[in-house]
C-alpha cells in the first residue's frame, strides 16, 4: 500500500494482485459457463464500475454491457431499508442471459429488489457476480453464483466502494479506520 490513503485506510483487505487473480478466475469460469449463449453484463452503478471492466476483459466471449443504478447506502456506512432505482437498462434482455455485476452484497436487499424486476423481463437466466460478499450483513437470504471473496462485516472502500462518494478510485479494497466514521 502506498501512503496516499494512510489517513483513512487501516489495512488492505484485497490487494491489486488479489483483485487481478479474482477477475481472471471468475472470467474463466464465466467464459465456460456462458459459451454459446447471448450474454449481457449488467453493472450496478456506481460501485461495480472498476470490477465490471476488469471482469469483462477476462471474459473471452462476445457480450453486451449495460448498467442500472440503485441506491441503498445514501452516503452513510450501513444499508437503509428502501432501495430506489435511478437508472435502468435500455437493452432488450428477452431470451438473453443476464449476469448482474456488483461490488458487494451486504444485506442483499438491493440484489433482491433488482432480481424481482428482472424476473419479469423474459431473460433466459439471471445471475449475480459480485467482487465481495459480506454474509454476516444479510437481512434477506441470498447466495450469489459468482463471488470474488467473502469478507468480514467491516467498512471497506476502494475499487468501486465509496465513503461519502470518495475513494472509489483506490486500486485495492481497504478497511476504513474506526475513527474516520465513528
Ligand atoms: C452498494 C453496493 C451494492 C449494495 C449492497 O451500492 O454497490 O449495490 O450497496 O448493499 P445491500 O446488499 O445491503 O443491499 P450503493 O447503493 O451504496 O450505491 P453505489 O454502488 O453507487 O455506491
Amino acid at each position: 500500500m502506498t501512503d496516499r490513503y494512510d489517513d483513512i485506510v487501516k489495512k488492505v483487505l484485497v490487494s491489486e494482485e488479489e483483485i487481478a487473480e479474482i477477475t481472471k478466475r471468475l472470467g474463466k469460469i464465466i467464459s465456460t459457463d456462458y459459451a454459446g449463449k447471448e450474454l449481457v453484463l449488467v453493472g450496478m452503478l456506481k460501485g461495480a464500475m472498476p470490477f465490471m471492466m476488469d471482469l469483462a476483459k477476462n471474459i473471452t466471449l462476445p457480450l453486451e454491457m449495460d448498467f442500472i443504478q440503485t441506491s441503498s447506502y445514501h452516503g452513510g456506512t450501513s444499508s437503509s431499508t428502501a432501495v430506489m432505482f435511478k437508472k435502468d437498462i435500455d437493452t432488450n434482455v428477452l431470451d438473453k442471459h443476464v449476469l448482474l455485476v456488483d461490488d458487494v452484497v451486504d444485506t442483499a436487499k438491493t440484489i433482491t429488489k433488482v432480481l424481482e424486476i428482472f424476473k419479469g423481463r423474459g431473460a433466459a437466466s439471471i445471475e449475480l457476480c459480485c467482487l465481495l460478499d459480506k454474509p454476516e450483513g444479510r437481512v434477506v437470504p441470498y447466495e450469489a453464483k459468482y463471488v470474488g471473496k467473502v469478507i468480514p462485516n467491516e467498512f471497506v472502500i476502494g475499487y468501486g466502494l465509496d465513503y461519502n462518494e470518495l475513494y472509489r478510485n483506490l486500486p485495492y479494497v481497504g478497511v476504513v479506520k474506526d475513527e474516520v466514521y465513528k
Side-chain angles (χ1 to χ4, degrees):
M1 182 170 84
T2 69
D3 59 8
R4 275 183 304 165
Y5 301 108
D6 276 357
D7 54 339
I8 188 160
V9 173
K10 182 162 69 178
K11 66 172 179 193
V12 175
L13 195 64
V14 194
S15 67
E16 286 187 73
E17 293 74 23
E18 189 174 2
I19 289 170
E21 283 167 21
I22 289 169
T23 52
K24 197 174 170 190
R25 170 173 61 83
L26 292 177
K28 201 171 172 188
I29 297 168
I30 290 164
S31 300
T32 303
D33 289 359
Y34 289 89
K37 295 175 177 173
E38 280 189 278
L39 175 59
V40 186
L41 290 189
V42 176
M44 294 165 66
L45 296 172
K46 303 172 191 169
M49 276 187 15
F51 178 51
M52 170 126 158
M53 292 308 113
D54 286 341
L55 181 70
K57 283 187 270 184
N58 282 284
I59 299 174
T60 54
L61 302 170
L63 56 82
E64 289 181 75
M65 289 186 196
D66 209 334
F67 298 91
I68 55 171
Q69 188 170 19
T70 65
S71 174
S72 65
Y73 276 44
H74 304 297
T77 59
S78 65
S79 296
S80 68
T81 49
V83 172
M84 288 161 33
F85 276 74
K86 293 179 184 171
K87 187 212 172 296
D88 205 345
I89 53 168
D90 47 35
T91 305
N92 181 358
V93 296
L94 185 67
D95 298 330
K96 294 177 186 171
H97 295 264
V98 171
L99 181 58
L100 295 158
V101 180
D102 208 353
D103 51 358
V104 62
V105 179
D106 186 359
T107 65
K109 285 180 189 171
T110 306
I111 185 61
T112 302
K113 181 75 186 169
V114 169
L115 286 172
E116 264 174 40
I117 290 169
F118 270 82
K119 273 175 189 157
R121 294 179 173 182
S125 70
I126 313 164
E127 299 289 353
L128 173 70
C129 178
C130 60
L131 173 69
L132 306 171
D133 188 3
K134 281 185 181 179
E136 291 164 32
R138 284 296 188 285
V139 172
V140 187
Y142 179 74
E143 223 175 295
K145 182 160 185 188
Y146 305 99
V147 175
K149 184 171 183 166
V150 175
I151 62 165
N153 205 4
E154 292 183 293
F155 182 33
V156 290
I157 55 168
Y159 199 63
L161 293 131
D162 74 304
Y163 175 50
N164 289 336
E165 293 299 327
L166 297 175
Y167 309 107
R168 296 187 197 273
N169 58 317
L170 267 66
Y172 54 81
V173 177
V175 181
V176 176
K177 286 183 173 175
D178 295 348
E179 59 267 33
V180 172
Y181 63 95
K182 280 183 180 162

